[in-house]
Amino acid sequence: MTETRTLEAPGATITYDVRGPLPPTDGHLPLVMIGQPMSAEGFTSLAANFPDRTVITYDPRGLGRSVRTDGRTDNTAEQQAADLHLLVATLTTGQVDVFASSGGAVTALEWVRAHPDDIATLVAHEPPLNRILPDAEAVDRARAAFNEAYESKGMGAGMAAFLVMTSWQGEFTDEYFAQPLPDPAAFGMPAEDDGSRNDPLLSKVSWPVSDYLPDVAALKAAPTRIVIAVGEESAGTYTARTAEAMAALLDQQPTVFPSHHGGFIGGEFGYAGKPEEFATKLREVLATP
């Protein structure tokens, strides 16, 4: 059974979902699953594979069902981490375990830095951290290119360019930038421009998340067990490289999970991974001391 709740945070009403009893009755900590800019619905398949644990999912402020009243549109790891700290405090269960995906993994690293006693184990899956890559300037240029495609031609063109960027193997070279803009139809995207420019992935509102620079010393000093994860099918791609770079900064090797960047997502989102296999690996990692 899923119970939907709301939390009044400074400048926002945060909507979150609780699957299972609070406090948990199984001896485990609550398991919080977070993304960015993905909202709670992206974790439906993964959460269904943890019927024995209390699972918490949420919509970041301004995304999905969470309404912001702070007058801002930008998404930052710092603000979202502050919201999650308040959310966990309302659970009154003490520490939580966290699975964090993509921009949510960036938020979770800031959450550990700011509130290290909140999280027992963090599994941070493929955090997109531009500034820790050796080709950071080229990454910024590639990001600007898909944003320009979006701003000039609309959703289909922007998403097609984004998919080309995120599937590119290795550093972003002159060969990458010499490519023509991809045809949206080749990715099943509409070529028509609906006029909207508020997509949190393709616009600039989430750039502060991918520009975030982790405080490595604070993360190493934190009591939280941090596991950097990477998809086995992601090898060589942008988010695999950021995961590997982050793991190296923490003096570890990334833990390999099944599938790709969205490997925990079910087919209902058209981005099918392997959620059952992914959940098995996550369960194994969380159980490891």
Side-chain angles (χ1 to χ4, degrees), residues 86-285:
L86 287 177
L87 191 158
V88 167
T90 69
L91 302 180
T92 66
T93 59
Q95 286 189 315
V96 296
D97 288 333
V98 176
F99 170 72
S101 166
S102 194
V106 178
T107 292
L109 292 171
E110 167 60 19
W111 188 5
V112 171
R113 185 208 64 79
H115 305 286
D117 294 325
D118 283 0
I119 305 173
T121 295
L122 163 63
V123 179
H125 186 253
E126 299 194 13
L129 296 159
N130 292 3
R131 295 175 65 188
I132 66 173
L133 290 177
D135 59 331
E137 290 186 7
V139 175
D140 287 347
R141 183 181 170 193
R143 179 180 64 176
F146 78 69
N147 171 254
E148 172 58 28
Y150 172 62
E151 295 292 346
S152 62
K153 298 179 182 297
M155 172 69 75
M159 184 58 73
F162 171 80
L163 292 173
V164 168
M165 175 192 170
T166 54
S167 62
W168 181 259
Q169 293 285 308
E171 295 189 5
F172 293 99
T173 60
D174 290 343
E175 180 185 359
Y176 174 83
F177 294 108
Q179 299 176 107
L181 279 178
D183 180 1
F187 296 90
M189 303 289 173
E192 296 77 16
D193 184 355
D194 66 4
S196 66
R197 294 295 186 272
N198 58 358
D199 185 86
L201 178 65
L202 302 176
S203 68
K204 294 182 179 181
V205 298
S206 294
W207 282 21
V209 174
S210 51
D211 283 338
Y212 177 80
L213 185 63
D215 185 334
V216 175
L219 295 175
K220 286 183 174 181
T224 303
R225 174 176 166 250
I226 301 173
V227 178
I228 305 298
V230 65
E232 62 183 350
E233 298 173 23
S234 300
T237 63
Y238 158 62
T239 52
R241 294 195 297 122
T242 56
E244 290 162 359
M246 188 67 234
L249 289 172
L250 295 177
D251 303 319
Q252 60 178 259
Q253 292 292 321
T255 298
V256 178
F257 271 66
S259 197
H260 44 62
H261 188 67
F264 55 91
I265 300 175
E268 64 270 25
F269 292 95
Y271 191 59
K274 300 176 181 176
E276 291 185 7
E277 294 176 36
F278 199 100
T280 297
K281 182 64 177 181
L282 179 57
R283 189 182 296 275
E284 173 191 313
V285 170

